[in-house]
Amino acid sequence: MGRYYITTPLYYVNAEPHIGHTYTTIVADTWARFLRGRGDEVVLTTGTDEHGDKIAAAAAAAGATPRAHVDRISAVFRQTWDAIGITYDQFIRTTDPAHRCNVQEVLARVHAAGDIYFGSYGGLYCIGCERFYTEKELVDGRCPDHQTVPVYLAEDNYFFRMSKYQAPLIAYLEAHPEAITPEQYRNEALAMLRSEALGDLCISRPKSRLEWGIELPFDTNYVTYVWFDALLGYPSALKERGEQTFARLWPETHHIIGKDILKAHAIFWPTMLMAAGMPMFRQLHVHGYWSRGESKMSKSLGNVVRPLDVQRRFGMEAFRYFLLREMAFGHDAAFSEDLFITRVNADLANNLGNLVSRTLAMQQRYFNGVIQDLGTWTGEDQELAASFETAIREMPAFAEKLLFHRALESLWRAIDHANKYVVTTSPFTLAKDAAQRPRAGAVLHHLCEALYVTAALLAPFLPETAARLFTLLDVVPVAALPTTWRWGTALPGEHSTKPPEILFPRIEVKP
Ligand code: MSP
């Protein structure tokens, strides 16, 4: 049995959830469902990052106190994930008192060990990013993310001796090539580490400038820099499950993030773990960015797609399918209503939807729903079974590596094959001829078997659709294909299936 501690980023509460957060969270949920389905121990954490300049500014803009603001938006995140069926085990807020204690404990320890020192620093600071920039990193003197001119800030602060861990981190990443995936992001992290001397990290903010944070345990005039605070939310959340679980699962940590926060996770975080004497995460999984038209989609740029709106209009299963099928993990992808509708109509309404409705309708019309004998398999039957057996083999191998688009592609090849099988075997013609009726029954039995396999394989990806398919087939739902299963064993003789339902109505586009 494998063990997995899976995390999404802890999202900033400066705005409400959009497609980007939804994608990462659905990826984490799908992966967790897949691993649990095969019997692994999984804890999935998500949550909210609630301190720092950005949040204080968002609260002020909303005319609220930081506390009222973070309570409200954090609840929106949590309710959104509940409404769309995310199976998280822990939801951490960085304003939780237990987390504050953890952060202070780590700070005190790293400080005592001499890896945190007091010093002076002046530099160009972007409020949007909450960090200092070097001249080199700016584009035409502006922040590359926010296109704003950073302000010059000079102040005394506490620094984490990140530079000390530069060489150990390079050595670690060289010895553990799988630690950051896909490979392009490992290369990016290594390039950052090798190209220049890693400075020390400013980890405090004077209270005179920012009060909304976790107080440093060794100087009450300062609060903790938001990243030093938020990253420690990952262990804080797991500690909530007890010391034993923490000890067992922490070394099995898998972080899922978008490429925007690669530096914090591939450089700040591992050096922090080294300084704190904690085991390194097992893997950092980095995905690309969803864009819409030209501009990058992020909260600060106000170009968003709200998950609950999509759910209301098209249903969550269609949205899950689109997100998981359209983005190759690690690469960027575009979202538009056209792409969405085309994909959903083609794959879900037509391909899968038709297979389900035709099969179950014929099964009902010709045999009153009762499953018939498989008889002697023909070459066509064998090819159909082989197609699904390929998907059964390929899907878990892809899903394990978060290559969900390939996993779905593989299953859809089999579904496609099943639709062609309907055409070539032509059960509707066979059923009209008394002598051929047994063969029609056998063909439909093969097709029902295909629907069973489809439901079992789809369970982590489209859980509601899988559940509906199991109900239509009138069988006990499973979270994964049972190991005892063989083609032809899912539906015993005399078993009856139910009349079809429309799983995915075709989305009509107004001219
Ligand atoms: N609070 C930090 C993370 C701290 S983790 C200890 C943060 N929060 S965020 O709200 O800005 O979320 C960033 C994450 O949201 C990205 O890493 C990614 O997971 C997701 N996305 C936000 N916009 C996105 C896209 N346009 N496309 C894909 N995912 C993106 O950073």
Side-chain angles (χ1 to χ4, degrees):
M1 187 175 89
R3 293 177 179 150
Y4 292 83
Y5 176 46
I6 305 173
T7 69
T8 73
L10 308 184
Y11 303 113
Y12 283 130
V13 288
N14 57 348
E16 299 188 5
H18 60 65
I19 186 177
H21 313 118
T22 309
Y23 174 73
T24 317
T25 309
I26 285 178
V27 161
D29 176 68
T30 304
W31 205 42
R33 286 176 188 262
F34 163 75
L35 297 167
R36 287 187 203 114
R38 70 178 196 189
D40 293 342
E41 179 183 12
V42 176
V43 170
L44 170 59
T45 282
T46 187
T48 43
D49 180 356
E50 307 185 6
H51 291 128
D53 302 322
K54 243 196 233 188
I55 312 296
T65 60
R67 166 58 61 189
H69 175 81
V70 300
D71 283 352
R72 187 174 71 79
I73 308 280
S74 179
V76 172
F77 270 92
R78 193 171 181 142
Q79 284 155 8
T80 301
W81 304 150
D82 288 340
I84 68 171
I86 301 298
T87 57
Y88 61 86
D89 300 293
Q90 291 296 132
F91 187 98
I92 172 126
R93 301 182 56 184
T94 58
T95 49
D96 291 342
H99 169 70
R100 185 182 60 230
C101 291
N102 279 329
V103 172
Q104 291 182 330
E105 186 274 321
V106 172
L107 282 166
R109 202 145 42 84
V110 177
H111 184 240
D115 276 349
I116 290 175
Y117 64 91
F118 193 61
S120 189
Y121 185 78
L124 296 168
Y125 186 82
C126 170
I127 297 174
C129 300
E130 304 190 15
R131 74 169 181 99
F132 288 99
Y133 272 91
T134 59
E135 297 275 0
K136 222 171 71 186
E137 288 175 300
L138 300 175
V139 179
D140 298 329
R142 288 167 183 271
C143 161
D145 270 357
H146 295 88
Q147 282 85 46
T148 48
V149 179
V151 291
Y152 183 81
L153 258 183
E155 55 190 27
D156 291 337
N157 266 308
Y158 286 87
F159 291 84
F160 163 52
R161 257 182 238 290
M162 193 159 70
S163 55
K164 179 175 154 188
Y165 297 97
Q166 179 164 12
L169 180 54
I170 293 176
Y172 184 87
L173 293 178
E174 282 171 347
H176 298 84
E178 76 302 332
I180 303 177
T181 77
E183 204 186 352
Q184 81 211 66
Y185 296 107
R186 170 182 180 260
N187 295 341
E188 219 174 281
L190 273 169
M192 279 190 257
L193 282 165
R194 286 179 182 136
S195 64
E196 55 189 306
L198 202 57
D200 289 340
L201 185 67
C202 177
I203 54 133
S204 66
R205 297 290 180 265
K207 276 195 189 162
S208 54
R209 180 156 69 77
L210 174 78
E211 283 208 40
W212 186 239
I214 297 178
E215 197 170 84
L216 293 185
F218 40 81
D219 191 338
T220 54
N221 293 315
Y222 288 87
V223 295
T224 313
Y225 168 50
V226 65
W227 272 106
F228 204 96
D229 157 356
L231 288 161
L232 287 166
Y234 297 140
S236 296
L238 188 58
K239 283 194 179 139
E240 292 295 302
R241 305 194 68 89
E243 276 305 319
Q244 280 190 351
T245 306
F246 181 79
R248 194 170 63 245
L249 285 184
W250 180 255
E252 311 298 343
T253 297
H254 291 260
H255 300 301
I256 303 175
I257 62 161
K259 66 180 182 181
D260 54 329
I261 51 178
L262 176 66
K263 187 170 183 185
H265 284 79
I267 296 178
F268 299 176
W269 183 224
T271 58
M272 284 168 63
L273 287 170
M274 285 175 174
M278 289 174 70
M280 192 60 69
F281 50 79
R282 180 78 60 211
Q283 283 185 305
L284 176 64
H285 305 269
V286 190
H287 65 71
Y289 245 61
W290 284 97
S291 65
R292 188 172 197 175
E294 285 301 292
S295 73
K296 187 170 92 170
M297 182 152 20
S298 88
K299 291 164 300 199
S300 8
L301 298 170
N303 187 3
V304 303
V305 176
R306 287 193 187 82
L308 296 183
D309 291 348
V310 184
Q311 182 179 39
R312 246 185 317 271
R313 282 186 66 195
F314 305 112
M316 203 55 210
E317 298 278 289
F319 197 35
R320 269 179 92 105
Y321 180 79
F322 177 82
L323 294 177
L324 295 171
R325 176 66 185 79
E326 196 75 14
M327 179 176 264
F329 194 87
H331 296 270
D332 293 346
F335 179 86
S336 75
E337 206 160 295
D338 283 357
L339 285 170
F340 178 82
I341 292 175
T342 307
R343 170 84 52 214
V344 169
N345 278 347
D347 294 4
L348 297 179
N350 292 352
N351 221 341
L352 175 61
N354 276 347
L355 181 66
V356 174
S357 55
R358 292 156 119 180
T359 303
L360 296 180
M362 286 189 278
Q363 175 72 10
Q364 207 60 38
R365 187 172 325 131
Y366 304 131
F367 302 102
N368 237 341
V370 181
I371 291 287
Q372 305 296 300
D373 204 80
L374 279 175
T376 313
W377 294 26
T378 66
E380 282 163 328
D381 302 342
Q382 263 149 7
E383 281 167 21
L384 178 74
S387 231
F388 278 89
E389 271 150 12
T390 304
I392 293 167
R393 213 175 43 248
E394 286 180 351
M395 276 190 91
F398 288 133
E400 184 167 41
K401 297 197 199 108
L402 286 90
L403 297 172
F404 299 135
H405 63 296
R406 301 206 53 191
L408 291 170
E409 202 176 31
S410 168
L411 177 59
W412 254 259
R413 261 198 296 275
I415 293 173
D416 211 37
H417 187 143
N419 274 315
K420 296 205 172 94
Y421 172 87
V422 175
V423 177
T424 52
T425 54
S426 190
F428 29 85
T429 319
L430 298 172
K432 287 178 195 135
D433 175 350
Q436 304 276 9
R437 268 179 72 85
R439 176 62 191 151
V443 163
L444 292 172
H445 188 160
H446 280 291
L447 287 167
C448 287
E449 193 74 22
L451 294 184
Y452 179 83
V453 175
T454 301
L457 293 178
L458 265 188
F461 298 84
L462 305 183
E464 275 172 33
T465 305
R468 288 178 71 185
L469 275 173
F470 286 127
T471 305
L472 289 173
L473 293 171
D474 203 16
V475 294
V476 182
V478 290
L481 206 57
T483 45
T484 50
W485 173 89
R486 295 289 169 271
W487 189 268
T489 58
L491 307 147
E494 304 303 309
H495 181 92
S496 290
T497 57
K498 301 224 154 89
E501 271 172 22
I502 298 192
L503 291 183
F504 295 96
R506 216 187 135 71
I507 305 170
E508 296 303 339
V509 191
K510 291 188 198 83

